[in-house]
Every structure is written in structure tokens, then in C-alpha cells.
Amino acid sequence: MVRAPGLAHRFRSDIIAAVILATMILASWAPRAVGPLDFRWDGAVYYVLGTSLAEGKGYRLLNEPGNIEATQYPPLLPLVVALHQWLVGSSDFVVVGGQMRLTFFLVFVAYIVAAYAVLRRYLPPAYALLAGVLVLLHVHTNFLSDLCFAEIPFGLATALFVLLAGRPTGPIRSLAAGTCAVAAYLLRTMGIALFAAWVLDALFDRRLRAAALRAAVAVVPIFGWQAYVAHVERSAAYTHPAYAYQRADYLFYNVSYARNVSLRDPFKPEEGRISARELARRLLVNLKHMPTSLGSAATARPNYWIRMRDLPVVGRIVPWRIAQYVPPVIGLIVLVGVATLFVRETRLIGLYIALTALALCLTPWPAQWPRYWAPAMPYVALALARGLMKLATWSQRLPRPVRRVSQAGRVALVAVILAVQVVAIVRIYVDYRFPAELRARDGHVVRPSLFFYGPTYQALDAGLDWLRPRARPDDVVAASMPQWAYLRTGLKTVMPPFVIDPVDAQALLDSVPVRFVVVDGTDVNFTRKYTLPVLEGSPDRWMLVYSDPSGNLEIYERSPEPAVSDSAPSPARGVDRRSPAAPERHP
């Protein structure tokens, strides 16, 4: 049997692409194949919820006094965590994290394969490979695959959905597509954009019966999750919390997304709630920044573009002062590509990108947009490729000299994009991976290297390790990353109150009551602004008992007496000056 020339060429192209992508996958994972998955930030929240499910306690935040029911994240990733704990027979995050790293590697491989399959369906081989490389090289694709976050599993679920729903569907394919959409929503609330695109795609084709069936599928998980949230918010435990501010709208891990985004700025709750008019203004202001956001989503953040000027040769040749304007230009090309997607065979993807952008414009935290765009990277890369192809088509109408300049400009832009991607990914592997020290419950120490685990995070973990043997089992700690502190210490840990008035803040801390306050220097620190003035302004109530020499961490302890006596140690004494780089030094 003789293979048709067109099929043979496509087969060879796909084999070459597979080899290139497989090589890049192995190269990206080889430096980080050992050690547990990173459970900082939201990863600790998912892990704590998974532990609660594995132990049969329900969907609860075990770090909180009263083990309150959680309402922020849908439960699929915590169920995955619980499954790993059941299989391993342990809830030790160091032990379970090693197995979860393997799982996330397999998810990452499946995500890249599915993303390339989507791109290959709608792009010529060269463009599909280029877009696939952009997805794989992107900083957030690599960083988020190293964390116990839902973004990469969500990206896999959406890619499988697009593969299944993007073809003429029969009952079995429709069922499989619906299952992937449900899984996506149960991983991230942003899955509602996927459901909406699916329903709207059928409505555009005037397939009312299909639209109704798709809407019915969407209603089940959405209504089920929202009904659960409403049930929790009506419960006595919610209306009468364990401490005064436990369910305050600014405590984003303890409340639903709806309550948190109802604030003008969730990190500055003193500014109050947002009005409908202000919400509309937020939408318009954020829309203005969408080209830059899309350009960054397709390539890298503007700060990575600016850092290209540090390259020995390129930095001198290229005027990198204009680099900050390149992402918006790329974003405009992406928008041109998005417009080309609104035809029947790719309309679902165009709708998904548009609805995701609309949802992001309603949020009050633009700094998180790169993370939210990461699972949609294959479709943004597709739009970028389609935009470049559309520009090539338009240039054919121009005079030959102009056409050649246009072609050279497109080639140069692609080359620069790849250069920025390579520089950014090399930089995070070389300059932003730091050694960590994680101790299992049996005393076994693991020393993986983690992204963005710089001196401030090293100091935080050293301080938590110092605190663990010195606190009583029933002590409560206040920290900016309460779930991570709970995993490191086993102590109940809450976030500090986001209250400016020192008297009110002290009263709220007393309502817990908090014995230790961890004031860190990380980029998610909330204690320095709101809590540190209370601690420093009340030496009769709080003693400084530990500080990092670099000034990246202090731990305060509630004084046992209302006033410091002459014989009691002053805040300047009794302070652990141990360096995180020398953990063998103890006071």
C-alpha cells in the first residue's frame, strides 16, 4: 500500500515536531525531576483540602480553628491530592509530594501533546510547531507545572475538550467533551468560560437543541458548586465563626470568589465595596490593558523583554528601550488572529479567548493575569500564528519592496519572540531556582531546588522550622501563607486581619487568640502593612523572639504578662539570629 504524498509529508512533519517537543520536555524537566512538588501559596490550600478529604473530614481548611468548610476552590484537584494520599498511605506533604511530581510530569506531557494536536489541526506544520514551542517555553507553563496548582491540569482538560468538541460530534464524542468541560470547571471556576463558549457556539449555528443540552450539562456542576457554597454560607458555623474576622471578605482563602471580588481592592479592604458603576469602569480600564496582557501571555512579561538589554551583544545592538512597547504590538497581532477564529471551525476557540478576556477584565488583580492566561496559552499562540498569517496575506497586496520589508519584519519579530522566550526560561532555571530544605515527619530531609525560592522564602521556612518545636500544640499562629505554615509546623495558622487601626487589629488578633505572628518579607506578605505596626507599637503585648539577620523575617510572641517587667527579656534580647543558610546554628 502506497501512502499518499500529502499524508506522508504530514506524517514526517509531525514526527519531527514530536521529536523536538519531546526533547524540550525532557530538557525542561531534567533539572527538576527529583523531590516533592512545590506546595507554597495556593498549592498548600489544595493540599490541606486534599488531606481533609483523605481523612474523611469533609472539604475543610484544617489549618483554621474549627476546621472551617472551604468555599473558594472547586474540589477536583484536592480530590487528586486525596487519591495520592490514599495510595501512598501518608499525609506527609514531603512523601506525597514526590509521587505528585511524577503525576504532574505526566500531566505536563499530556498537556503539550494535546496542545500541539489542537494547533496542528488549525495550522500548517511550521506554524503549529512554532506555536507549540512558544507554549512549552513559556515561563508560566514551566513554573506552574512545578506547583500544586490547577492551571496545567485545567489546560489539559480544556485542550482535550477543544479536540473533542471541535469536530462534528456524535453522542459519544459529545459525552466525552462534556466530561472534559465538567472536569475543567471542577478544577478552576474559569471553566465557566468554556461552558459559555460551548453553548454560544451551538447558538451561532442555530442548533437550539444542542445548545439546550450543553447548557443542561453546564448547569449541573455550576449549580452543584454554587449550591454547596450557599449552603455553607447559611450554616451556623459560617455566621458564627471561631474568631471575629474568620469569614471576612478580604480573607480570600476563607470566602468565595464572589465575596472577595466584591471589594474595590481585596488587598486593601479599607477602600470598601465596589459599586456597579465602578465595576463597569474596572472593565473598561482593564480592557485598555488587554493587548499588553495578550502579548505577554503569548511571549513573556514586559520585564523579561526589558531584561534583554542585559545580553552582552544583543543589548548593545537592539534599542531595548522600546522593548516595553513590543508586547502591546504582539497583543494587537493576537487580536487580529482572534478575529480570524470567529469562523465555524474555530469559533469555539475564539469565543473561549474572548470570554476569558472578559472574565479577567472583571477581576481586581491584573498582576495575576499571566497565571490565568497560562492554561489558554495554546489558543493565544494559535491566535498569534493566525494573526501573522493574516498579515502575510494582507502584505501580498502591497508593492514588492514593501512586501519584502513586511516579510522581514515578521521573521524578525518571530526571532525576537523566540529569543525572549529562551532568555526568560534560561533565566528562571539559572537565576531563580534556589535550594530548599524539606523535612519529612520521620526526620528524612529532602533538598529540592524550587523556582523563586529566594532568600525571603528561605528565611520564612527557617523561621517556621525554628517555631515548630517551641510552640505548644494548641498555639495559633498568624502568617501571610497560613496553609504553608500549617504544613511546615502542624500548628493552627490564620491570616492576619487586614485592618489599619491598631486597636481594632489587636482586638481581632485577641479574638483568635494568636500567640505567634510571623512577619515575612516575601512577595505575598500582608503582615508588614497591617500587623507590624500593632506589634511594634505594643511592646507590653508582643515580644520579638526571632529575627533573620537579613531582615527578611521576624516572629513575635504574645507576652505572658500585660507589661514587661525589669527581669523579662527585652525585644532586643532573646532573639534568634540564626541564618537560614546555616540551619545547624540554634540559640
Side-chain angles (χ1 to χ4, degrees), residues 243-266:
Y243 56 91
Y245 67 100
Q246 188 171 38
R247 293 294 192 173
D249 291 342
Y250 56 78
L251 289 191
F252 41 89
Y253 291 135
N254 293 11
V255 298
S256 66
Y257 275 121
R259 290 187 177 275
N260 192 234
V261 300
S262 68
L263 300 172
R264 288 192 179 95
D265 186 339

Side-chain angles (χ1 to χ4, degrees), residues 437 439 447 462 465 578-586:
E437 183 175 291
R439 188 179 300 275
R447 294 181 176 86
D465 289 344
R578 179 184 54 157
S579 169
E584 70 280 4
R585 294 174 59 193
H586 292 283

Side-chain angles (χ1 to χ4, degrees), residues 165 169 194-216 218 342-344 347-348 351 355:
T169 56
L194 201 66
F195 277 131
W198 197 30
V199 174
L200 288 174
D201 186 49
L203 289 176
F204 275 111
D205 283 338
R206 298 182 180 179
R207 292 182 290 140
L208 300 182
R209 184 171 180 271
L213 288 173
R214 294 175 180 183
F342 280 89
V343 294
R344 183 168 185 177
R347 184 173 52 221
L348 176 66
L351 286 168
L355 291 170

Side-chain angles (χ1 to χ4, degrees), residues 229-377:
V229 172
H231 167 73
V232 172
E233 292 180 346
R234 289 195 300 265
S235 67
Y238 192 98
T239 55
H240 298 84
Y243 56 91
Y245 67 100
Q246 188 171 38
R247 293 294 192 173
D249 291 342
Y250 56 78
L251 289 191
F252 41 89
Y253 291 135
N254 293 11
V255 298
S256 66
Y257 275 121
R259 290 187 177 275
N260 192 234
V261 300
S262 68
L263 300 172
R264 288 192 179 95
D265 186 339
F267 303 123
K268 299 177 182 178
E270 64 272 10
E271 294 183 1
R273 296 187 180 279
I274 193 169
S275 65
R277 185 174 182 178
E278 290 169 328
L279 184 62
R281 184 177 181 275
R282 175 194 290 174
L283 174 64
L284 295 176
V285 170
N286 286 341
L287 278 173
K288 182 178 67 174
H289 299 294
M290 191 49 63
T292 301
S293 179
L294 284 168
S296 300
T299 57
R301 286 189 174 190
N303 60 316
Y304 286 106
W305 283 88
I306 295 173
R307 288 173 185 171
M308 289 287 288
R309 66 189 178 189
D310 299 331
L311 295 180
V313 178
V314 179
R316 298 175 183 176
I317 298 175
V318 180
W320 289 107
R321 290 182 180 180
I322 66 172
Q324 58 184 324
Y325 303 108
V326 179
V329 172
I330 296 173
L332 293 175
I333 297 174
V334 171
L335 289 175
V336 171
V338 171
T340 70
L341 296 177
F342 280 89
V343 294
R344 183 168 185 177
E345 65 271 15
T346 54
R347 184 173 52 221
L348 176 66
I349 297 175
L351 286 168
Y352 176 59
I353 295 175
L355 291 170
T356 299
L358 178 63
L360 292 183
C361 286
L362 292 172
T363 64
W365 42 72
Q368 294 293 322
W369 286 6
R371 171 186 168 186
Y372 291 139
W373 274 123
M377 177 64 185

Side-chain angles (χ1 to χ4, degrees), residues 87-275:
L87 293 176
V88 174
S90 171
S91 61
D92 189 331
F93 78 96
V94 177
V95 177
V96 177
Q99 301 301 315
M100 289 197 66
R101 180 169 290 279
L102 174 61
T103 298
F104 266 62
F105 168 72
L106 297 175
V107 170
F108 181 85
V109 172
Y111 169 60
I112 297 300
V113 170
Y116 176 75
V118 171
L119 295 166
R120 187 66 183 88
R121 177 178 290 179
Y122 302 113
L123 292 174
Y127 278 94
L129 177 59
L130 172 63
V133 168
L134 291 181
V135 174
L136 206 161
L137 283 178
H138 202 282
V139 166
H140 279 83
T141 303
N142 288 265
F143 175 48
L144 292 171
S145 67
D146 213 54
L147 291 164
C148 185
F149 277 32
E151 274 72 14
I152 301 302
F154 178 79
L156 173 60
T158 56
L160 294 174
F161 168 81
V162 169
L163 286 172
L164 292 166
R167 294 281 190 182
T169 56
I172 296 179
R173 188 183 287 270
S174 295
L175 178 62
T179 301
C180 290
V182 171
Y185 178 78
L186 293 178
L187 284 165
R188 284 201 62 84
T189 311
M190 186 61 77
I192 197 170
L194 201 66
F195 277 131
W198 197 30
V199 174
L200 288 174
D201 186 49
L203 289 176
F204 275 111
D205 283 338
R206 298 182 180 179
R207 292 182 290 140
L208 300 182
R209 184 171 180 271
L213 288 173
R214 294 175 180 183
V217 172
V219 162
V220 174
I222 294 174
F223 177 80
W225 175 248
Q226 296 305 322
Y228 161 78
V229 172
H231 167 73
V232 172
E233 292 180 346
R234 289 195 300 265
S235 67
Y238 192 98
T239 55
H240 298 84
Y243 56 91
Y245 67 100
Q246 188 171 38
R247 293 294 192 173
D249 291 342
Y250 56 78
L251 289 191
F252 41 89
Y253 291 135
N254 293 11
V255 298
S256 66
Y257 275 121
R259 290 187 177 275
N260 192 234
V261 300
S262 68
L263 300 172
R264 288 192 179 95
D265 186 339
F267 303 123
K268 299 177 182 178
E270 64 272 10
E271 294 183 1
R273 296 187 180 279
I274 193 169
S275 65

